Amino acid sequence: MAAIADLGARLRSFTLEHPEPAAVEALYRALTIDRPPEIVRGSKLRYRARIETPAGPRELT
């Protein structure tokens, strides 16, 4: 990370949508992932990242 310039962007939240959120949560627990994303029920797999930038908040989906 030391080689990457800090441009002022900060990850504020990361959400994973999945038809079977309990199964995904169990996988994260089994892998002992530190700070997993928020996992919610959705009709298909989808990621959403909310990022604060110098130009204001942005959402990547």
Side-chain angles (χ1 to χ4, degrees), residues 44-61:
K44 61 182 180 177
L45 178 60
R46 182 175 139 176
Y47 294 94
R48 179 176 41 233
R50 291 192 174 109
I51 302 169
E52 187 66 37
T53 75
R58 300 289 185 256
E59 184 170 290
L60 305 175
T61 59

Side-chain angles (χ1 to χ4, degrees), residues 4 9 13 15-16 22 25 28 35 38 41 46 58 60:
I4 299 174
S13 67
T15 304
L16 169 65
E25 288 173 345
Y28 275 101
R35 296 180 290 155
E38 176 185 13
R41 182 172 303 280
R46 182 175 139 176
R58 300 289 185 256
L60 305 175

Side-chain angles (χ1 to χ4, degrees), residues 23-46:
V24 176
E25 288 173 345
L27 177 61
Y28 275 101
R29 277 193 305 277
L31 294 172
T32 61
I33 301 296
D34 182 37
R35 296 180 290 155
E38 176 185 13
I39 303 167
V40 298
R41 182 172 303 280
S43 61
K44 61 182 180 177
L45 178 60
R46 182 175 139 176

